[in-house]
Amino acid sequence: MTERHRLRSVLTLAYLNGIVPMRTQPLFLVSVLASPLSFLFFVTIASHGLYLKYAVTGGMLFTMLSIGTSLQTDLTHYRTDLKLQDMVVASPVEGPVYVTGLALSELLYSLPGLAVFAALWATGGPALGATGTYAWPVNLPNALTIGFTLVIVWGFASALGFTLATYFEDVREIFLFSSLISLGLTVFPPVYYPLSALPAWAQTIAYFSPTTYAAQLLHATTSAAATPVGSLAADWGVLIAFTVGLLFLAAAKARWREP
Amino acid sequence: MTEGVTKQYPKNVGRPPALDGVSLSIRPGGIYGLIGPNGAGKTTIIRICSTQLLPTAGTVTILGHDAIADPRSVRTRIAVIPQESRPLYFLNVDELVYLYLKMRGMDRAESRRRTNAVLEELGLVEERKRLVSRLSGGMRRRAMVAMVLASDAEVLFLDEPTTGLDPLARREVWGAIRRTIRDHRTVILTTHYLDEAEQLASRIALLDRGKVLLEGTADDLRARVRRPYRVTVDSRVPRTELERYGDVTDVDGGHLVFTRESDARELALKALGAGARVSMGPVSLEDVFLQVVGRPIDDGTTGEEAA
Ligand SMILES: Nc1ncnc2c1ncn2[C@@H]1O[C@H](COP(=O)(O)OP(=O)(O)O)[C@@H](O)[C@H]1O
Ligand SMILES: [Mg+2]
């Protein structure tokens, strides 16, 4: 395959797994939004609006992370139940092309959900009833920071989903583990609330989760108090290192031809 | 195409290998049938030849390319329908074919042209906008055959394309497969329905417990057995009188005798003289299997269990 063929292949996979299912089952789009929005709702109510500024970007992060779970589910389902992966292996389509195409399809699928959070963010708070210290600045640098962070999280979540998919034989196992993983990646780490809301010992544990760093970067755009000055660069570094590490792990784990 | 291919699955060390020195030479063009009971190793050899699985030993050459060392060159020239595979249910028939072609890297115009042609050819035009999840089993398989048929692959591997279909649906799929023989394209098909192999394949290899037992045209296979004729007579003729003509097996309401051609004629005349009902003819591939392997192909046990 030449680069042009690869690109066509990636886009075709993204279209067939990301756009086509929207048409046949639009309700799925609502279900993509259900969890991240309900978290936002609870956190905002429980904090009397104080944490809304964290939860808005937290919802975006949550949505991106769930891409990993969807990718993992689809990869396993297509490999074990449909034997689609066997068809793809015995074709010109290479492994990285297949995985990238599907990861992109999950992103497309999440775009409507992300758009809802982006719209919430763009109101800057007042439209949601948040004023004064509850509101956040809406500007281009912040929008770019959010965009870049989410793209890295997409790569991170996809690499994680792919790596996990190589371990599971059965879609049912995934449902079991994905809830544990999303607990470890999204509920416990400070995605919907500031890191400072955790007791000191829990903050230490949270630093082992890459989502903490992504959340720090996102929260810094809506709350000046979210991040201690000077650690933003470190957050970028750690998040990117995690992602690159996982991508390497995914590449090393990839079993395209069975031994 | 394959030379001494042996496969010992890592999970099964200590047990007999799934393939034990399989050498097959398949000439390009036409349909080649791999037959054998469940567990014979058909899927294993298909997966090795189509670069999905590495063999433990042996070499595989597809259209002059080494499938083990250079899988990329092979992959651009092949397409496969894996055993028990199912199409992506949320696509319609048209998208299934068209998007498969585009995924393989074909451009839009060519994919469109080939999709239209194949749907026309396989009688799927009226179903093109139907979701594949709403199709009958036979129609769904036909749609999958359409995918690989429309591709530019020169070698197609179809692993049990008709298993689980009713006889009518099987025939539909046969029709679709028959249309794939053109442009020097090679189709390698596995089945445990021997009548299907005979209907479709110009050459056949009979596999059992990882070994090739017989190879050739259906007639070659028949000629290779010692008693190439089958005569059934009803129970009016006592079994003892039949035994000198050949191997006798009891069947419903009578006996089945495998015998040589001259003896078959003699036996038939004699039985007719005794007023018995008689039928005779060349052995079927099922009979060949029974004679060569010593058990019926569909006796419900796999090679593994019987071993
Ligand atoms: N993935 C696998 N791991 C371990 N053993 C396998 C695997 N696939 C097949 N086998 C074994 O290899 C033998 C041949 O199987 P297979 O090639 O599927 O036969 P067939 O397609 O003719 O039914 C069987 O004994 C089967 O149990
Ligand atoms: Mg099989």
Side-chain angles (χ1 to χ4, degrees):
Chain A
M1 285 194 132
T2 64
E3 292 307 326
R4 248 186 64 193
H5 289 125
R6 287 194 182 99
L7 183 64
R8 185 180 288 143
S9 197
V10 165
L11 294 179
T12 303
L13 282 160
Y15 170 76
L16 83 81
N17 199 53
I19 308 280
V20 178
M22 287 187 200
R23 180 201 62 196
T24 42
Q25 192 45 278
L27 266 183
F28 278 137
L29 292 177
V30 182
S31 79
V32 168
L33 262 174
S35 302
L37 263 188
S38 34
F39 275 121
L40 175 116
F41 182 74
F42 286 128
V43 167
T44 308
I45 298 291
S47 67
H48 302 288
L50 185 61
Y51 286 171
L52 176 63
K53 57 188 172 191
Y54 303 107
V56 166
T57 48
M60 299 180 190
L61 181 55
F62 187 103
T63 308
M64 291 308 265
L65 286 168
S66 51
I67 284 180
T69 315
S70 319
L71 178 67
Q72 185 192 344
T73 311
D74 280 356
L75 280 171
T76 306
H77 179 47
Y78 294 166
R79 177 167 53 90
T80 58
D81 301 331
L82 304 187
K83 312 277 185 227
L84 175 71
Q85 189 170 320
D86 282 349
M87 272 190 106
V88 175
V89 171
S91 87
V93 183
E94 294 131 351
V97 169
Y98 177 64
V99 176
T100 309
L102 289 190
L104 201 56
S105 79
E106 310 293 355
L107 180 64
L108 288 176
Y109 209 77
S110 303
L111 282 182
L114 283 174
V116 171
F117 286 104
L120 288 181
W121 174 79
T123 65
L128 300 170
T131 47
T133 52
Y134 290 171
W136 55 85
V138 177
N139 55 37
L140 186 64
N142 281 348
L144 288 177
T145 305
I146 293 173
F148 279 127
T149 311
L150 293 181
V151 168
I152 293 171
V153 171
W154 171 65
F156 160 78
S158 301
L160 184 67
F162 170 77
T163 307
L164 290 173
T166 63
Y167 283 99
F168 294 110
E169 288 300 322
D170 192 322
V171 178
R172 275 170 305 173
E173 290 177 18
I174 289 186
F175 289 135
L176 205 76
F177 279 88
S178 65
S179 52
L180 288 178
I181 288 166
S182 77
L183 205 69
L185 283 181
T186 55
V187 180
F188 184 61
V191 169
Y192 278 92
Y193 48 84
L195 183 63
S196 55
L198 287 173
W201 62 269
Q203 290 191 21
T204 314
I205 299 178
Y207 274 116
F208 286 98
S209 169
T211 38
T212 302
Y213 302 92
Q216 295 266 81
L217 292 167
L218 294 173
H219 291 169
T221 65
T222 50
S223 165
T227 319
V229 185
S231 79
L232 275 184
D235 285 347
W236 279 112
V238 176
L239 182 61
I240 291 171
F242 257 113
T243 306
V244 171
L246 265 171
L247 284 170
F248 271 107
L249 181 65
K253 275 294 299 173
R255 214 173 55 175
W256 202 234
R257 176 152 57 170
E258 208 183 303
Chain B
M1 293 229 287
T2 79
E3 185 66 50
V5 170
T6 295
K7 178 66 190 178
Q8 178 80 57
Y9 283 101
K11 276 186 237 160
N12 289 351
V13 218
R15 287 203 262 152
L19 293 178
D20 189 359
V22 171
S23 298
L24 291 171
S25 171
I26 302 174
R27 261 164 288 157
I31 300 181
Y32 193 94
L34 283 167
I35 62 177
N38 280 329
K42 304 182 297 293
T43 297
T44 305
I45 189 76
I46 290 277
R47 297 191 76 227
I48 288 173
C49 289
S50 58
T51 74
Q52 300 169 54
L53 179 69
L54 280 171
T56 314
T59 60
V60 179
T61 315
I62 308 283
L63 302 166
H65 298 278
D66 184 339
I68 294 152
D70 182 20
R72 274 171 194 239
S73 306
V74 173
R75 285 172 181 153
T76 53
R77 295 170 170 83
I78 62 171
V80 50
I81 303 182
Q83 181 170 4
E84 286 171 0
S85 55
R86 287 186 286 138
L88 272 175
Y89 35 84
F90 50 74
L91 302 180
N92 66 35
V93 175
D94 186 278
E95 287 164 337
L96 186 72
V97 177
Y98 175 72
L99 294 176
Y100 174 73
L101 298 182
K102 281 194 71 186
M103 182 192 77
R104 288 184 64 111
M106 202 178 273
D107 69 38
R108 184 190 291 252
E110 180 73 358
S111 302
R112 180 41 53 215
R113 193 185 63 73
R114 283 175 178 252
T115 302
N116 290 346
V118 85
L119 294 182
E120 184 81 36
E121 195 167 10
L122 298 192
L124 290 166
V125 174
E126 286 184 8
E127 323 291 336
R128 72 187 311 159
K129 291 292 170 206
R130 276 180 75 188
L131 289 186
V132 291
S133 56
R134 307 258 160 81
L135 298 178
S136 65
M139 200 72 90
R140 208 176 292 173
R141 283 270 134 186
R142 252 205 281 171
M144 294 199 80
V145 173
M147 292 165 76
V148 294
L149 172 56
S151 77
D152 52 4
E154 295 156 67
V155 181
L156 308 182
F157 296 92
L158 313 180
D159 195 358
E160 309 227 7
T162 61
T163 299
L165 300 182
D166 60 64
L168 203 69
R170 281 175 60 200
R171 256 157 235 285
E172 276 181 11
V173 176
W174 291 0
I177 294 170
R178 266 211 207 84
R179 292 192 186 90
T180 64
I181 340 169
R182 55 160 192 222
D183 317 332
H184 305 291
R185 191 177 243 173
T186 313
V187 178
I188 298 170
L189 166 135
T190 77
T191 180
H192 61 258
Y193 301 118
L194 302 190
D195 56 330
E196 175 168 304
E198 187 153 16
Q199 284 273 337
L200 290 175
S202 46
R203 287 183 80 82
I204 294 168
L206 194 160
L207 236 71
D208 188 44
R209 296 181 201 173
K211 290 201 168 82
V212 178
L213 299 184
L214 293 174
E215 206 272 339
T217 63
D219 285 338
D220 289 343
L221 262 54
R222 281 200 196 87
R224 288 280 298 281
V225 297
R226 252 176 342 120
R227 300 191 160 103
Y229 269 77
R230 59 163 20 239
V231 183
T232 46
V233 294
D234 67 25
S235 43
R236 257 167 284 193
V237 183
R239 187 181 163 120
T240 45
E241 277 189 39
L242 301 173
E243 267 160 5
R244 65 186 181 85
Y245 290 101
D247 296 331
V248 185
T249 317
D250 289 331
V251 293
D252 271 351
H255 309 287
L256 166 63
V257 187
F258 290 128
T259 179
R260 288 194 302 266
E261 188 171 3
S262 54
D263 286 346
R265 214 171 290 136
E266 193 185 317
L267 169 60
L269 287 172
K270 186 170 158 182
L272 283 171
R277 257 182 293 142
V278 178
S279 71
M280 68 174 275
V283 287
S284 66
L285 287 183
E286 267 90 357
D287 301 330
V288 171
F289 188 87
L290 180 63
Q291 288 193 46
V292 172
V293 180
R295 60 188 154 80
I297 189 165
D298 54 357
D299 68 351
T301 66
T302 66
E304 197 177 10
E305 285 161 4

